[in-house]
């Protein structure tokens, strides 16, 4: 693919230096449909990024778009704060019927604000309010958001440094396999909890991702998650599962913790909950934890009614019959086989291949290699990103609705990009 140099001057002169994704993909995108994005010159790019996991059902999904257009054309409420609306009622009824009840969950639903970090901040605040304690335990290489509370439980040094103030009341513990299996799971954590001289204030809660997306596609074993849930119960700590990127079917089940058979006290959901890329987030929690006073935590844009419309349509279309989970797991096997073939071809260069469902990562010994692969993939018409503390992992997040043929096409491009950056 030959990409002519686009006019990026307005972005370079007026937009802040904080911009990031556009630096790796130096073109101007104009439209998108399904698993493809198109720049203003008409070049097609197969999207293995999916809005950082916000577009699990592809770009401009026609079923969701129709529901949204019908709602807007009849002058449905767009902005509603936390007022009761027909769109919110339809979403809540559908979410309860399609997601919560079939999984035996009786969690209350809170709309904390439109982004993932809003959901995390609400979860941390609620845990502290319920338990009357300040400390929160998180895990090495965790990522939970960019606001101050979320950064305090995030591991990435670069992102933490951007806070500009001390990040307090958060304590990191080793994530699954962080110590290469040489130390018994939670030995250090439980010893600190039991020792009055350890210096660890008793935590209100533990927050965990079942798969660390930004941290490098680090996959927690089901038995590790079960042991964590048991530890939280025994030590009177709430368990928060951050399912912002790995929920909404990314790993197979609607919630990523389903495979482990655990029931978190608090769950954060965002990214693909609206189905269409519209901002929306949820904080879910056990009914007995609902100790909020009216207005104690709120936000102007927590009533994004167009997002409620597309979210309800998404659940009815993709989650009412159980087929989406089976399809995602099958597509995941397709990705795993291709990545392991690439790793076998480049066994001296590829350090590891890991993932679940339709989130996969390929780690390179040469940490700069992942960025080179992503750049070459862009030139060949594939959008992929990197993750990990040193951006050493090529990260694959295709839409759950991607076809086997599109998946094969992207995996072939990836294999070529790895080969051509050797």
């Amino acid at each position: 693919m030959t990409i002519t140099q686009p006019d990026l001057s307005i972005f370079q002169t007026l937009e802040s230096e904080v911009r990031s994704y556009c630096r790796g993909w130096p073109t101007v995108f104009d439209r998108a449909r399904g698993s493809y994005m198109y720049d203003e010159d008409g070049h097609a790019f197969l999207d293995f990024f999916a809005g950082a996991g916000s577009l699990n059902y592809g770009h401009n999904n026609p079923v969701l778009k129709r529901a949204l257009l019908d709602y807007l054309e009849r002058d449905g409420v767009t902005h509603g704060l936390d007022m009761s609306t027909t769109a919110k009622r339809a979403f809540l009824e559908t979410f309860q019927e399609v997601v919560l009840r079939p999984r035996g969950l009786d969690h209350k639903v809170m709309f904390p604000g439109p982004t993932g970090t809003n959901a995390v901040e609400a979860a941390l605040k609620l845990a502290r309010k319920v338990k009357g304690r300040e400390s929160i335990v998180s895990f090495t290489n965790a990522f939970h958001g960019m606001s101050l509370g979320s950064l305090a439980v995030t591991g990435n040094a670069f992102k933490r440094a951007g806070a500009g103030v001390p990040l307090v009341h958060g304590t990191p513990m080793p994530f699954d396999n962080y110590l290469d299996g040489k130390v018994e799971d939670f030995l250090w954590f439980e010893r600190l909890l039991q020792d009055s001289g350890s210096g660890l204030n008793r935590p209100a809660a533990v927050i965990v991702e079942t798969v660390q997306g930004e941290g490098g596609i680090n996959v927690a074993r089901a038995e590790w998650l079960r042991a964590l849930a048991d530890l939280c119960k025994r030590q009177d700590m709430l368990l928060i599962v951050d399912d912002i990127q790995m929920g909404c079917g990314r790993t197979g089940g609607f919630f990523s913790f389903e495979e482990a058979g655990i029931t978190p006290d608090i769950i954060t959901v965002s990214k693909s909950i609206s189905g269409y890329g519209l901002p929306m987030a949820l904080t879910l929690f056990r009914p007995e934890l609902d100790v909020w006073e009216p207005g104690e935590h709120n936000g102007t844009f927590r009533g994004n009614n167009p997002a409620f419309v597309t979210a309800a349509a998404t659940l009815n279309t993709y989650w009412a019959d159980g087929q989406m989970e089976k399809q995602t797991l099958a597509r995941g096997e397709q990705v795993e086989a291709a990545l392991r073939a690439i790793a076998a071809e480049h066994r001296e260069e590829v350090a590891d291949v890991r993932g679940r469902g339709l989130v996969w990562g390929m780690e390179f010994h040469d940490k700069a290699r992942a960025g080179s692969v992503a750049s070459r993939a862009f030139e060949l018409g594939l959008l992929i990103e990197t993750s990990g503390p040193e951006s050493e992992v090529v990260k694959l997040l295709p839409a759950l609705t991607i076809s086997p043929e599109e998946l094969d096409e992207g995996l072939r491009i990836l294999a070529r990009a790895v080969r051509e950056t050797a």
Side-chain angles (χ1 to χ4, degrees):
M1 180 188 299
T2 303
I3 302 174
T4 56
Q5 182 61 38
D7 181 5
L8 301 173
S9 58
I10 187 64
F11 308 107
Q12 294 167 344
T13 59
L14 189 59
E15 192 177 0
S16 166
E17 291 298 321
V18 78
R19 65 192 188 280
S20 60
Y21 295 121
C22 57
R23 298 178 187 273
W25 301 327
T27 193
V28 179
F29 293 103
D30 178 56
R31 60 190 180 89
R33 176 72 180 264
S35 287
Y36 286 92
M37 297 189 74
Y38 303 87
D39 69 12
E40 58 187 354
D41 293 324
H43 298 119
F45 296 85
L46 188 52
D47 186 2
F48 271 27
F49 181 62
S54 296
L55 296 164
N56 281 3
Y57 313 96
H59 295 270
N60 285 302
N61 183 295
V63 176
L64 311 184
K65 180 165 63 174
R66 186 70 265 159
L68 177 59
L69 291 175
D70 288 347
Y71 182 77
L72 295 175
E73 285 171 353
R74 73 169 184 80
D75 291 334
V77 173
T78 299
H79 181 272
L81 294 166
D82 69 354
M83 291 183 281
S84 300
T85 64
T86 55
K88 184 198 282 189
R89 178 173 59 198
F91 167 73
L92 285 171
E93 290 174 345
T94 305
F95 191 70
Q96 183 179 52
E97 188 65 29
V98 175
V99 176
L100 295 179
R101 278 182 180 155
R103 291 161 180 81
L105 300 176
D106 61 355
H107 288 48
K108 299 290 286 291
V109 178
M110 175 182 179
F111 301 102
T115 72
T117 200
N118 293 142
V120 170
E121 294 285 357
L124 301 180
K125 185 189 291 188
L126 179 61
R128 288 168 170 141
K129 181 177 173 66
V130 168
K131 292 298 183 184
R133 309 176 205 140
E134 298 175 349
S135 179
I136 304 288
V137 165
S138 58
F139 291 94
T140 50
N141 289 314
F143 178 78
H144 296 289
M146 299 298 283
S147 50
L148 290 181
S150 300
L151 279 176
V153 290
T154 286
N156 187 286
F158 172 73
K159 291 181 171 62
R160 289 176 62 89
V165 297
L167 297 172
V168 297
H169 308 309
T171 302
M173 291 291 167
F175 190 71
D176 191 12
N177 204 40
Y178 185 75
L179 299 172
D180 301 320
K182 297 175 182 177
V183 177
E184 180 184 339
D185 292 340
F186 306 114
L187 177 66
W188 171 243
F189 189 1
E190 191 146 25
R191 186 69 57 84
L192 291 178
L193 290 170
Q194 294 170 344
D195 182 1
S196 60
S198 70
L200 175 65
N201 294 331
R202 180 159 295 278
V206 175
I207 185 167
V208 67
E209 303 156 274
T210 67
V211 180
Q212 295 181 327
E214 300 304 311
I217 318 301
N218 305 312
V219 182
R221 293 167 296 140
E223 55 266 35
W224 186 86
L225 292 169
R226 286 192 289 269
L228 175 60
D230 180 64
L231 176 63
C232 287
K233 188 174 183 179
R234 286 187 286 106
Q235 295 290 342
D236 188 33
M237 303 179 294
L238 297 178
L239 176 60
I240 305 170
V241 169
D242 182 342
D243 235 4
I244 287 163
Q245 188 167 95
M246 297 305 154
C248 301
R250 176 54 58 180
T251 65
F254 187 85
F255 295 114
S256 69
F257 54 80
E258 292 178 42
E259 179 194 42
I262 63 174
T263 302
D265 299 295
I266 304 176
I267 307 159
T268 62
V269 182
S270 186
K271 298 245 183 222
S272 276
I273 186 61
S274 81
Y276 203 74
L278 299 175
M280 181 176 171
L282 309 175
T283 304
L284 314 174
F285 39 84
R286 294 181 185 274
E288 61 269 24
L289 304 180
D290 194 6
V291 297
W292 293 115
E293 296 292 333
E296 189 175 5
H297 185 95
N298 55 26
T300 303
F301 294 100
R302 65 196 183 281
N304 187 351
N305 281 256
F308 296 154
V309 171
T310 55
T314 298
L315 296 177
N316 282 321
T317 302
Y318 293 104
W319 290 99
D321 61 4
Q323 292 306 305
M324 176 56 73
E325 179 174 356
K326 295 176 183 176
Q327 176 177 300
T328 298
L329 294 175
R331 299 283 194 274
E333 291 174 0
Q334 186 179 348
V335 174
E336 181 178 10
L339 293 186
R340 297 208 180 281
I342 296 171
E345 181 183 345
H346 303 273
R347 63 180 73 252
E348 299 299 319
E349 303 151 68
V350 176
D352 194 19
V353 168
R354 52 186 181 261
R356 277 180 60 197
L358 273 175
V359 52
W360 285 87
M362 177 178 287
E363 181 181 356
F364 291 89
H365 290 295
D366 176 2
K367 299 185 188 302
R369 180 74 175 282
S372 299
V373 169
S375 295
R376 182 57 182 147
F378 170 77
E379 295 169 353
L380 296 171
L382 176 68
L383 302 179
I384 54 174
E385 254 297 336
T386 61
S387 72
E390 297 180 70
S391 299
E392 72 277 18
V393 178
V394 168
K395 177 182 181 183
L396 279 65
L397 280 175
L400 307 185
T401 52
I402 193 169
S403 71
E405 295 76 21
E406 291 168 335
L407 207 48
D408 274 339
E409 178 189 355
L411 292 166
R412 284 195 300 270
I413 294 174
L414 175 60
R416 180 180 169 187
V418 173
R419 204 172 295 124
E420 295 183 358
T421 55

